[in-house]
Structures are given as structure tokens and as C-alpha cells.
Amino acid sequence: MLAADLFLRKPPMTTPPAAAEPRLTSLSHGGGCGCKIAPGVLTEILRGASAMPVPPELLVGIETSDDAAVYQLNDEQALVATTDFFMPIVDDPFDFGRIAATNALSDVYAMGGKPILALALVGMPIAVLSTATIGRVLEGGASVCRAAGIPIAGGHSIDSVEAIYGLVALGLVHPQRVRRNAGAKPGDLLVLGKPLGVGVMSAALKKGALGAEGYDRMIATTTKLNTPGPDLAALDAVHALTDVTGFALAGHALEMARGSGHDVELDWAAVPLLPGVRSLAGQGFVTGASGRNWASYGAEVALPEGFAAEDRALLTDPQTSGGLLTACTPEALDAVLAIFREHGFGEAAVVGRVVPAAGPAPRLRVR
């Protein structure tokens, strides 16, 4: 659509003053990447979809549930195309816009690409929210795109029941530098770029149980662009990349296992967590998406005896704008960690490894 379509083409109407507006999160049945359709349900839906012709230029499609589509333009360039949008995970409209935009751009970085432009996707309850509030959401998204060095070149807007915001994100990558979630090899180490716990924090926030310090940490991690992606993809020893979002660490590690045909083994004690989230999970601040995730893929996960309920909740915790999960050779580990540090991801940590499949189908093993 034309850039002008971002403006709400509605007859003039009265909107409530900002002080009378409801909390953004109160307008959503779910927030952030916790809004995703559960992986098992999504698989069932897609099973009935008709097969479509696949041109040879389509380097990455839907076959391994990867982060974005990749279409080769020429010998030097391939187009990375993705979209992501969701309902509010926070009440501050500017922060909501920032988080949604950061999350959408992450899929370009996760393929090894660099963003080149974005289109805004805007659905807002016009009779409930003021134009000033809606404008702040868009400003938040625009601020992230400026930080990424790209324009928002257009978009589309509708009047909807729930507040929705996100982006179509386009990027470029060299065809030989495309990194999928399907290339991991036995012996590879897994490095996670961001700590877990965003879903737990969002559940606590919605119930008024997240303090100012916790909120600041949540915003800091969810608005941090996954800029290490292209530099990681430039290393031949990096065999696979994905970002951890709505299907949680367990779900996205499983996608990596399925795509490679090998098992993934996680060292749970080494997985970085946001401060305080294990305690919050133990108090019951867990999203509904966490349970839906486990119901969808729990049969493919081997947990150690006595694995605590709060740990399982974090293993399946939906991450909004989560970190990159990188599979690399042990020899490349120092270079991979150095790239993360250079981009400001000092908490990046080795969280597991890829091992030969122990059964007829790839699994996730947690120890």
C-alpha cells in the first residue's frame, strides 16, 4: 500500500482523552509473541494447505519453519522477507512500538541478512484509543527502524477490536551467507544471545507484580536489535541460526533439531535467565502460551528426573524479541562469542550442543 495509507481514513470522531484510556494490555487476549498460534495447532492448519509451485530462486520457504523467506535476486544478492505483528505486551505505547519493531527485524538478522526497509502493519480500536496514543506506538516503531538504519516506507492500517502493531521487514543477504535453522551438525555448540524470561515478566506485569527494575530489564532486552546476525553468518563455521521467540527455547531448538536431522542437547544450568524470573515463575506468573507450547511438542522433549515446574515453564516461555540461537563448531566458539560481545551481547552463553539422533526422530534432550 502507499505510505499515505498509514493514516487512518475515517470520518472525524471523538476519542477519549489519554487519562481515560484503558491499559493497552487490557485490550489484548494475549501479548507479544505469546499471541502466536500454538505450534501443534499451526502444523495442523498448514497440513491442509494446498502445495504451491516453488521456483528455484526461492532459497528458503516454509519447509523447516524458518524465520523468513529468502529469494535469490542475482549471484550477489538474495531478498529476505518476513512479517511479524502482535498485541501489546506492555502498556506504554512507545515501548510497545519499539518491542514490536525490534521483534520483526530480528527475523532478517536471524537469516544473516541486513534490513533495508520496513512497512508498518497497524490495527487499532479507534473508538477506544486516542490518536495521540496510536501515534506513540508508531513513533516507537519508527525509532527502532532509525536505529537499524532503515525507513518505514509505507504500510497498512485498519480499525480493529484489539491493538495490533508490527512490520513487514525486508533485507538483503549474499546467497552464500544465508543461515537457516536447518544446517546444524553433530559436535556443534549452541550459543544463545539473550537471557530467557520475557514471557514470565510480561505475565507478572499484567498482574501488577513486576517492579520498575524488572520492567527496565524487560524493555532493555526486548528492544535490543539482533545485529550480530550478519557477522555470525559471515563465518563458515556457523552452520545454523534462528531467533528464539514465541515457541520458546524448547520449540526453536526442536526446529533446529528437526531441520538438521540430529538431536539437540541443552545444558539447562548454563541457560542465561533474566534476574528474578525463576522466582516469578515459581509464584505462578506464567503465560498461557507456555502451557500450549508444552502441549504441542512436549512428547519430543526428554527432561531429567526431578526437573522443576518453574524450569519447565521457562523452557517453554514465549520470548518476544528473544536472542539468536547459533550453532557453530567448537573451534569457532571464541570468534562467535567475540561477535556477540562486540554488538553488546555480553550475556551470550554456550547452552548446549548438537548430537547424533538417538532414535528414529530428532529430539530435544535437557540435562
Side-chain angles (χ1 to χ4, degrees), residues 198-260:
V198 172
V200 167
M201 282 186 156
S202 70
L205 176 67
K206 202 163 186 177
K207 296 182 180 180
L210 186 68
E213 187 175 356
Y215 181 82
D216 289 344
R217 287 190 178 121
M218 177 181 166
I219 296 302
T221 189
T222 53
T223 58
K224 195 168 194 174
L225 289 164
N226 276 322
T227 53
D231 289 344
L232 293 169
L235 299 178
D236 290 337
V238 168
H239 296 145
L241 269 176
T242 191
D243 61 346
V244 178
T245 53
F247 298 156
L249 177 59
H252 293 287
L254 261 174
E255 288 178 344
M256 191 174 281
R258 295 181 193 127
S260 67

Side-chain angles (χ1 to χ4, degrees), residues 24-25 28-37 84-91 95-96 99-101 103-104 162-165 198-199 202-203 205-206 218 222 245-247 287 289 292 317-322:
L24 285 180
T25 53
S28 310
H29 74 277
C33 286
C35 301
K36 278 189 174 181
I37 295 175
D84 216 313
F85 53 89
F86 46 61
M87 283 83 83
I89 189 174
V90 296
D91 293 312
D95 285 345
F96 170 40
I99 294 168
N103 181 75
E162 293 181 294
I164 298 169
Y165 180 71
V198 172
S202 70
L205 176 67
K206 202 163 186 177
M218 177 181 166
T222 53
T245 53
F247 298 156
T287 69
R292 292 192 295 273
D317 187 49
Q319 300 305 288
T320 300
S321 190

Side-chain angles (χ1 to χ4, degrees), residues 38-41 288-300 312 316:
V41 176
S290 178
R292 292 192 295 273
N293 279 340
W294 181 254
S296 294
Y297 54 63
E300 301 171 73
R312 198 187 83 175
T316 58

